Amino acid sequence: MNFRRTMIQQLDKAVLYSLNRRVPDSLESSAAEAPTLEDVLAKTEVDTRQTAVYQLTAPGEHPIILQSPMGEVCCRAKVRPAIDPHAPLLLFHHGFNEYPYTSSWRRLFPQAVPLPFHTACVQAPFHTSWLEPVEKGFTSVQSVYQIFAGSLRLMELVQQQFEAEGAAYTAAAGVSWGGITSMMYEGVLRQTRAVIPMLSSPNLAQVIWDISEMFNRPMQLTQTELQTYLDFTTYYQQCAPDRVFPLLGESDLFFRMENHAELFAERPLVTIPAGHISAMWHTASMRDHVLSVLHQLGVS
């Protein structure tokens, strides 16, 4: 068992090493001049002139254009409608640097398996190539905020369209970065029936700090300063406790159990014997978790 855990964590460590080397120094140096997340969100809008909003509930992939403080941003949403137009909607968000953005969504919900709910996977800003998330998305604190703000606007748009056409309600789910985004979405807008963050917590600052310690990379910011800019726990705390259904990996080196489980003290935390990367090769437990939550909401 110890050997298996070691191998799982070595895989996490190898991926973290690559990410750690690629993070620009400008991320930390930009913090003092960063606008607030609220400011970035307020200035991020769907460009309805370039986006075929009326088509978003149709099966397939749809481009969505955003206008933002960082200019025009091109994103996508991949949609798989249920047979019943009144079925609920599961809004799914991918992990950071996940390419293609539908990778974990397809593993969790294979197309060959019929689902009793609509599901849509949204693509975060700066995720159109493997290099873009770190090289563009992590150039500054503002660009990190822009990733989140863009995703929130996409999720809001897709939810509005599905519910306008009869979807009973919406649940938000995501892995890793997508889990943070899902909690922020409910914390800001408070219009989902459930939030299902997997392999995730709202404290991104703790993740970055743990990685820097793992590889002895000096930080320009103190841990307290980093928490000021990149700990999104305040948004998570706006979610009703009975609407959050978290899942963590017991051997995860990204979101370490010892540093993140306590955040979910009032929630029914589920754990799986997996690391961050290895969990996506064994998705049955994660799929069962999502389906269990939706079953509790009345989906059969």
Side-chain angles (χ1 to χ4, degrees):
M1 183 63 70
N2 288 337
F3 175 75
R4 180 178 181 276
R5 180 183 176 90
T6 298
M7 294 302 294
I8 286 172
Q9 292 190 328
Q10 285 300 317
L11 181 59
D12 277 5
K13 194 169 184 178
V15 175
L16 287 171
Y17 177 75
S18 174
L19 286 172
N20 180 66
R21 291 190 61 186
R22 293 160 52 209
V23 173
D25 292 337
S26 58
L27 174 67
E28 295 175 65
S29 61
S30 70
E33 299 177 356
T36 65
L37 174 62
E38 288 77 9
D39 286 341
V40 177
L41 180 60
K43 296 174 182 177
T44 301
E45 298 179 341
V46 175
D47 188 336
T48 55
R49 294 173 301 174
Q50 299 189 70
T51 303
V53 174
Y54 63 93
Q55 292 184 347
L56 288 179
T57 57
E61 188 172 62
H62 308 283
I64 301 173
I65 308 301
L66 301 174
Q67 298 299 334
S68 79
M70 298 186 69
E72 186 172 284
V73 181
C74 300
C75 302
R76 292 175 176 81
K78 190 73 176 283
V79 173
R80 194 186 308 161
I83 296 175
D84 180 3
H86 300 294
L89 168 67
L90 178 70
L91 268 177
F92 186 84
H93 197 291
H94 59 83
F96 184 78
N97 210 40
E98 185 174 325
Y99 187 78
Y101 72 97
T102 55
S103 178
S104 57
W105 179 67
R106 287 187 287 105
R107 290 177 182 175
L108 284 165
F109 309 108
Q111 190 163 3
V113 179
L115 299 174
F117 49 85
H118 309 291
T119 181
C121 179
V122 299
Q123 180 191 45
F126 316 138
H127 276 75
T128 57
S129 71
W130 183 74
L131 294 174
E132 192 179 30
V134 176
E135 293 186 353
K136 189 171 183 178
F138 258 50
T139 56
S140 66
V141 170
Q142 178 175 347
S143 62
V144 172
Y145 291 168
Q146 187 62 73
I147 298 176
F148 285 120
S151 291
L152 296 192
R153 289 299 183 220
L154 293 175
M155 294 170 75
E156 181 183 33
L157 176 65
V158 173
Q159 178 174 359
Q160 288 174 345
Q161 292 305 117
F162 268 94
E163 292 189 357
E165 295 194 12
Y169 57 82
T170 298
V175 294
S176 192
W177 185 280
I180 303 175
T181 308
S182 297
M183 287 181 279
M184 291 173 67
Y185 181 66
E186 172 59 18
V188 171
L189 298 175
R190 302 181 202 175
Q191 57 188 24
T192 67
R193 188 74 63 87
V195 183
I196 312 170
M198 296 178 285
L199 309 173
S200 180
S201 99
N203 194 347
L204 178 60
Q206 184 66 54
V207 175
I208 295 173
W209 188 262
D210 287 344
I211 296 171
S212 70
E213 284 195 327
M214 183 184 300
F215 299 109
N216 296 313
R217 178 170 62 87
M219 297 284 289
Q220 299 176 41
L221 300 175
T222 66
Q223 187 171 13
T224 299
E225 290 170 332
L226 195 62
Q227 299 275 1
T228 299
Y229 298 106
L230 296 175
D231 180 3
F232 304 107
T233 301
T234 53
Y235 297 99
Y236 155 73
Q237 290 171 337
Q238 300 305 310
C239 304
D242 61 352
R243 295 196 175 192
V244 182
F245 300 86
L247 177 147
L248 291 177
E250 295 164 8
S251 301
D252 192 337
L253 290 186
F254 287 66
F255 293 85
R256 293 170 174 263
M257 284 278 294
E258 63 268 26
N259 291 337
H260 296 275
E262 188 176 347
L263 284 168
F264 299 118
E266 299 179 4
R267 276 68 173 177
L269 176 64
V270 171
T271 66
I272 58 174
H276 199 80
I277 302 302
S278 66
M280 295 315 304
W281 293 344
H282 306 282
T283 53
S285 297
M286 297 169 67
R287 183 186 307 111
D288 288 346
H289 178 60
V290 173
L291 295 177
S292 172
V293 172
L294 291 175
H295 179 71
Q296 292 178 53
L297 298 178
V299 178
S300 58

